[in-house]
Amino acid sequence: MKNLVLLCLLLTTAACSSISSKNDYTADEAYQMRQELNADFFKSGEENLSQDQINNLLSKKVSFDRPLKVAVVKLNHLVSQSYSFRNPHTGSMTPVATKKNSQIFKLMLEKSSRIKDISVVPQFMMPRSPELRSLRDVAAIMQADLLMIIYTKTDSDYDFSLIGKNEAKAVATLESIVVDVKTGVIPFTSIATGVAHLKKESEDFSNEEFRVRTVLAAEDHALNQLSEDMAAYFK
């Protein structure tokens, strides 16, 4: 029930909130005067950056003044759920991508003059160990300029009623980074939160399907905010 109280408090605020980087820094004249970084600053076999590599990163710029293709990776979601009559359970998984996700990405394309193509990386192309470098390799094979990695964590609560309709609430937090595939630089990060409060409908086949629908609705709200931030940065 603690989660339920928390969700109620969150519902009194805006549906989505975000903490994201803006492009004011990169638009500054001092930044634009720097030489452009055109190559990967990582060296094969190295895990940590040398002082020279750090100095190189901090003294140059990354330019995106060209049409951009984005490869999107949605990592598996961790869902924490609690029931009114059951003990909390963690570790449930929800679908990776939905039709609504595609619609939101299309809106991103419409709002950004630079982003011209968005492709979700299929699950069978995902490396066994989804590390940053291996995910960059997949994006490079897809000839994507940018790699967008999204990690979702969802908290949900349910109230099963014997008289009225069952209710569910979910809060989804999406953490995202965008990687420049050519250089490995991360120019954009964002954290967005979405909230959903739904009642079970006749089309819900089971309580589990109802649970997933509520979780995905919260994720859609957060993803919509995330796409707004992304489009504003690469406007």
Side-chain angles (χ1 to χ4, degrees):
M1 295 303 292
K2 290 183 179 179
N3 285 346
L4 182 60
V5 174
L6 176 61
L7 285 163
C8 290
L9 291 173
L10 286 170
L11 285 168
T12 63
T13 63
C16 295
S17 60
S18 176
I19 302 174
S20 65
S21 56
K22 302 299 180 182
N23 60 1
D24 297 339
Y25 173 74
T26 56
D28 186 78
E29 183 179 358
Y31 182 86
Q32 290 299 318
M33 291 295 290
R34 298 178 181 180
Q35 291 184 343
E36 187 170 346
L37 184 66
N38 290 313
D40 188 353
F41 60 86
F42 281 113
K43 293 183 179 179
S44 179
E46 291 186 353
E47 294 184 0
N48 298 321
L49 299 177
S50 67
Q51 188 61 50
D52 288 341
Q53 288 172 310
I54 292 175
N55 292 339
N56 188 37
L57 280 170
L58 297 181
S59 64
K60 293 187 178 181
K61 69 176 181 180
V62 178
S63 177
F64 300 104
D65 294 330
R66 63 186 187 277
L68 300 170
K69 178 178 180 178
V70 181
V72 178
V73 170
K74 287 192 70 180
L75 299 180
N76 287 333
H77 312 333
L78 174 63
V79 180
S80 299
Q81 59 187 23
S82 60
Y83 301 87
S84 298
F85 307 110
R86 301 184 185 181
N87 293 326
H89 171 70
T90 60
S92 296
M93 309 303 290
T94 61
V96 174
T98 66
K99 183 178 180 180
K100 185 65 177 293
N101 290 171
S102 299
Q103 295 172 347
I104 293 173
F105 290 141
K106 288 181 180 179
L107 291 176
M108 188 192 302
L109 287 173
E110 294 175 1
K111 295 179 180 180
S112 172
S113 61
R114 295 185 185 180
I115 299 175
K116 300 300 182 181
D117 184 83
I118 300 176
S119 300
V120 177
V121 177
Q123 277 294 293
F124 68 83
M125 288 184 62
M126 291 287 288
R128 291 184 179 179
S129 177
E131 298 176 352
L132 182 57
R133 294 192 191 186
S134 57
L135 292 174
R136 276 183 64 198
D137 290 344
V138 173
I141 293 172
M142 296 174 63
Q143 290 191 316
D145 303 280
L146 302 175
L147 169 64
M148 186 179 191
I149 304 174
I150 302 173
Y151 173 78
T152 304
K153 180 178 180 181
T154 305
D155 292 301
S156 52
D157 201 5
Y158 310 89
D159 185 10
F160 296 128
S161 174
L162 297 177
I163 302 176
K165 289 186 176 182
N166 295 341
E167 295 185 44
K169 297 177 182 179
V171 178
T173 300
L174 271 61
E175 299 179 357
S176 176
I177 65 171
V178 172
V179 183
D180 178 26
V181 176
K182 181 185 294 184
T183 64
V185 169
I186 300 175
F188 173 88
T189 67
S190 183
I191 302 175
T193 300
V195 179
H197 178 193
L198 304 179
K199 291 185 178 181
K200 188 176 181 181
E201 303 295 341
S202 57
E203 61 266 24
D204 291 316
F205 179 74
S206 63
N207 287 329
E208 176 62 17
E209 182 176 302
F210 173 48
R211 179 193 72 81
V212 171
R213 183 167 67 87
T214 306
V215 167
L216 293 181
E219 291 180 10
D220 287 339
H221 287 308
L223 185 60
N224 186 67
Q225 179 62 54
L226 183 59
S227 67
E228 294 272 354
D229 294 339
M230 180 81 165
Y233 189 90
F234 298 98
K235 60 184 178 181

